[in-house]
Amino acid sequence: MKIYRRKHFPYAPRPFIALFLLLSSILAFSAKAQFPPAPGTGPGLPETVEAIENARVTTRILYITAHPDDESAAVLTYLARSLHADVALLSLTRGEGGQNDLGPEQAPQLGLIRSQELLAATRGYGVKLFFTRAKDFGYSKTPEETEKVWGDEVLQDMVEVIRSFRPTVVINGWGGIHTGHGHHQATGLLTPKAVQLAADPNFKVRGSSPAQEETAAWGDRRPVLLLDIDRGEKPQGYPLPLDDVSPLYGKSWREIGLDAFANHHTQGITGFLNSPFLRRPITLKREDGGGFDPASLNEPLGPLDEDFEVGNKGIDPLMRSVDASLVAARDAALRLDYKTSADSLIAAGKKLDQIPLPALSSQTPPPVQSLAGSIRRKREKINAALVLVAGLRIDAIADRSELVPGETFTVRVDPHHRDGIKTESRKISLALPQDWNIVKEEPEPNGAIRFTISVPQDLRFPQNASEWPIWSPRIAGDGQNLPSPALLAEPQPLGIATQDVTFNGYSFSAISPVTSIRATSARADRIPPRVVPAFTIAVEPDQVIDVLAKTVSRKPFEVLLRIHSYATEPGKVTVGLNAPRLWKVTAPVTLSFAGVGDQFARFQVSPPPNLAAGNYKISAHANTAVDPASGAKDDKFMLSLEPLPTMPTLLWAEPARCVVHAFSINVPQNLRVGYITAESEPIPDALRMLGIQVDLLDAQALAFRDLSKFDAIVVGVRAYELRPDLPGANQRLLDYASNGGTLLVQYQRDFAWDRSSFAPYPALISPPAPSARDGASSTPRPLPRITDEKSPVKFLKPNDSLLNRPNKIAQSDFKGWVQERGLYFWTQFDPKYTPLLAMNDPGEPEQNGAIVYAHYGKGFYVYSGIAFFRQLPEGVPGAYRLFVNLLSASRPRLEQPSTRTSLPRRRIEHHR
């Protein structure tokens, strides 16, 4: 998958930043890094009281939904922070098929960003987070299509999460929903299936054994309560008191949740926080239609093992005593009497230690295994509360963020605790991945220790670049109770510092992931160290278009490489390019590094004279220069690691290469385009690769610039929604078209478009509701879009100039498209408009609003819902030809198009 932008090379070295900033959400005290701590995620009094109350509740709730931002923030916050249940959110996808309000990232890059946004939101809700491997392939109209694309592995993943988290309640976020997005419908259908399969001992999760508690059947003895959530206008079921005010935070649970929900920045959520939909009452109801007891959402301590003693509503005397100690701890904490609170928590922990438990093995009877798990969970909750009450904190800070195989780094571990609470602390230990060695331990003042650690030279990186976002060397013996890495929100930490602590005879371990501090002139971030190759390569340009023409000879073009050394030791690398057969490239060069830094190399690439249409990959490589006498093997590096523009604290991994798209296209000479963008779209850069001059138009340009200099002005996707200056400038744009220009408007969303009259003649995106006389439902029809990228295309006006000049558009131009044909087509428009294309998804009527235009004064007004923003970055030739035709609508008919070969050499800036 390409990065949907061109890279920019600065003339001074710039630091690379670690791939992930936030540590594992599974750990009780993850570092707060990329996002400011949300309410409820710090070590203050509210969080301390919540931790104590959480130890008094045994309910575990798993909320399942389809995408990031689908979740009910208010419900999750209420369940976790008001009822104090253990709550986890399972999002089947990472949202990579959505849109991006902030920057150019699409597809997997967007999924990486949205995963981090959801992780930040869930910390505000107070819940854990899991994913599956389900692909967000864009809008789907049916659950059947969705399940076909997702395959069986999604159910496998759902079962694995259920058996790992072991919920007593599952909330089906899309239960009973049979209209709308196919992903939503499929999620609602798959959730009860996953609950059923998780309870089936004969259903095996990949790589599991019956002896493993985390993969053993769950729900077979104690049935999981399956609930549907109703967010309709008139919800049915048990209403949740979401607008009650928290006594600790002074806000309602809904407000606290929406504060965290605002982390979905790429989806423009902040513009919808006042939506009536987010303020509606919400209810829960049993999916089987049975009676629902709200007490099941926060069951208190009762039997010794509530999971095995099904139906036992009594309270074991020992558990009653434990609960009394927890109540005393809470009351003392509220008085800020932390010593008394700690003593009460210690008393509760010691009571649990009175329960005799044998060493567990594969031969341990199920009742004993279940009891051991139940007691372990209760003890972990008490220990988590004790850490907060005692003010325990272990700062484990690495001296570097990027770690290179074969080198050493240091970690300084510094323990802290609240004054007035006496502890007996043992030596600090550091858990590391297999074959990572501690070569030195140096004591420092106040009990701190500095560890020097060696990273093994033969560490192997993922072969597939797509595995990088979830890859991390796993700590030996860690994570037995976690799902597979692909199902976690982020990679597990590379190191965990542990200190055994004793309070008044009660012992437990305080832990902290190893982090590092990355500071710039503008900000400081706490980020997890990341293992990286010694050398990485950035390629400029990463895409080139070679316009095929019989009368033009092939011209060479330049490829610039920036080689970054993460290695701290001096070294040499030989850098070169690998090109397809018959292509010519200049010879490799050798570069010397004194340590961390950047070096540049420039190469000339010559295509063969008789270049055929197609896509050609030119790969970059860097080989370490090793003395043959040493017997060591050369290391070869072929990876690019680049910061994402929208979230530069994340690195995106892909092969280091330039892709040449060779195809025929006619481009009018000296074509000049003004572009109004709101999302850092990739289309301006794509047009520049054709040699088209593209000027980005800001608010000042729209208000005062002479627009007549442009052959066409393009309104970018969703610009009327996201550019507040655009509606006020709309009349200037219409005047520009009336005076002879071409105004091309790309897809807009219905709620932003239909309420205003931006087009010269009436036009709507929302389809009309079925008339009552037809006996049809008054429910609005689905918004017009074609999700099948292979949908047949009918030419309604095959002789129209927009389909014939400067490029003759044929059926072959609609081959090789990705994800979808288009979205937000016009459905109702004035007869003055001319529709050019008709298309439909399988089993649906044709839609003719994909490209619609009108002669307006001396010029043209064009609306297009075609997904050019997806097709052009992928080098789809037909999409380029069609887009150039639309841009050329106002050009004189007799003008000869340019046939020169276009090989962009300019560096293209990011406009964010």
Side-chain angles (χ1 to χ4, degrees), residues 58-82:
T58 62
T59 301
R60 298 182 298 278
I61 302 174
L62 180 64
Y63 184 122
I64 301 179
T65 192
H67 313 100
D69 84 7
D70 282 350
E71 75 278 4
S72 171
V75 170
L76 288 168
T77 304
Y78 170 74
L79 296 174
R81 298 201 180 279
S82 176

Side-chain angles (χ1 to χ4, degrees), residues 584-736:
K584 297 180 180 180
V585 298
T586 49
V589 298
T590 299
L591 303 174
S592 297
F593 289 87
V596 176
D598 289 337
Q599 296 275 4
F600 294 84
R602 184 167 55 190
F603 298 88
Q604 191 172 78
V605 179
S606 300
N610 299 318
L611 184 65
N615 298 321
Y616 301 89
K617 298 176 182 177
I618 301 170
S619 301
H621 60 84
N623 294 64
T624 54
V626 177
D627 183 358
S630 67
K633 295 182 179 180
D634 287 356
D635 283 328
K636 192 173 186 178
F637 305 93
M638 303 181 67
L639 188 73
S640 171
L641 284 176
E642 285 291 289
L644 295 180
T646 298
M647 195 174 286
T649 44
L650 300 179
L651 290 185
W652 177 253
E654 66 176 5
R657 65 190 180 196
C658 170
V659 179
V660 178
H661 305 291
F663 55 84
S664 298
I665 186 171
N666 294 319
V667 181
Q669 294 183 2
N670 304 316
L671 188 64
R672 187 173 182 183
V673 174
Y675 205 102
I676 305 167
T677 182
E679 294 187 319
S680 298
E681 298 169 62
I683 291 180
D685 288 353
L687 297 178
R688 290 179 178 125
M689 287 195 288
L690 291 174
I692 298 173
Q693 180 177 340
V694 181
D695 296 356
L696 298 184
L697 304 181
D698 58 15
Q700 182 177 353
L702 285 179
F704 302 112
R705 192 167 177 179
D706 180 6
L707 302 181
S708 65
K709 297 180 179 179
F710 298 108
D711 296 290
I713 293 178
V714 180
V715 178
V717 298
R718 298 176 58 190
Y720 281 103
E721 171 192 347
L722 302 175
R723 283 280 297 265
D725 59 304
L726 182 55
N730 191 67
Q731 187 58 49
R732 282 203 82 212
L733 295 176
L734 293 178
D735 292 344
Y736 156 80

Side-chain angles (χ1 to χ4, degrees), residues 69 101 261-274 278:
D69 84 7
D101 280 9
F261 193 60
N263 279 290
H264 293 293
H265 301 293
T266 59
Q267 304 309 295
I269 289 298
T270 52
F272 298 92
L273 292 181
N274 291 322
L278 297 177

Side-chain angles (χ1 to χ4, degrees), residues 106 165 233 585 620 721:
Q106 298 175 28
F165 185 65
E233 293 184 3
V585 298
E721 171 192 347

Side-chain angles (χ1 to χ4, degrees), residues 712-895:
I713 293 178
V714 180
V715 178
V717 298
R718 298 176 58 190
Y720 281 103
E721 171 192 347
L722 302 175
R723 283 280 297 265
D725 59 304
L726 182 55
N730 191 67
Q731 187 58 49
R732 282 203 82 212
L733 295 176
L734 293 178
D735 292 344
Y736 156 80
S738 179
N739 291 329
T742 295
L743 181 60
L744 170 57
V745 179
Q746 296 192 82
Y747 93 82
Q748 309 297 314
R749 294 209 285 189
D750 57 305
F751 61 84
W753 179 265
D754 291 352
R755 67 190 178 195
S756 301
S757 299
F758 296 125
Y761 312 115
L764 296 175
I765 295 172
S766 298
S771 60
R773 64 177 178 272
D774 294 335
S777 168
S778 61
T779 303
R781 293 174 179 174
L783 290 172
R785 61 195 305 166
I786 304 298
T787 62
D788 184 356
E789 68 272 20
K790 299 179 181 179
S791 169
V793 178
K794 179 189 293 186
F795 292 5
L796 299 176
K797 302 285 184 179
N799 296 322
D800 194 284
S801 62
L802 293 188
L803 297 178
N804 288 275
R805 68 178 184 89
N807 299 284
K808 175 70 175 179
I809 303 301
Q811 287 293 333
S812 59
D813 287 307
F814 293 94
K815 294 181 179 179
W817 286 44
V818 298
Q819 185 161 320
E820 59 191 344
R821 289 289 192 203
L823 59 170
Y824 294 97
F825 294 173
W826 279 0
T827 62
Q828 307 174 69
F829 45 87
D830 191 277
K832 293 185 179 70
Y833 293 105
T834 299
L836 293 179
L837 305 175
M839 57 190 76
N840 62 283
D841 276 327
E844 296 186 355
E846 286 185 344
Q847 299 185 36
N848 67 350
I851 298 180
V852 180
Y853 81 94
H855 293 279
Y856 185 61
K858 299 178 182 179
F860 285 80
Y861 184 95
V862 186
Y863 179 87
S864 174
I866 295 294
F868 290 112
F869 71 100
R870 297 197 191 279
Q871 312 310 322
L872 300 194
E874 291 292 339
V876 177
Y880 270 101
R881 285 190 279 263
L882 180 57
F883 201 84
V884 168
N885 280 18
L886 301 182
L887 295 177
S888 308
S890 298
R891 275 299 184 100
R893 290 179 178 272
L894 297 180
E895 179 182 315

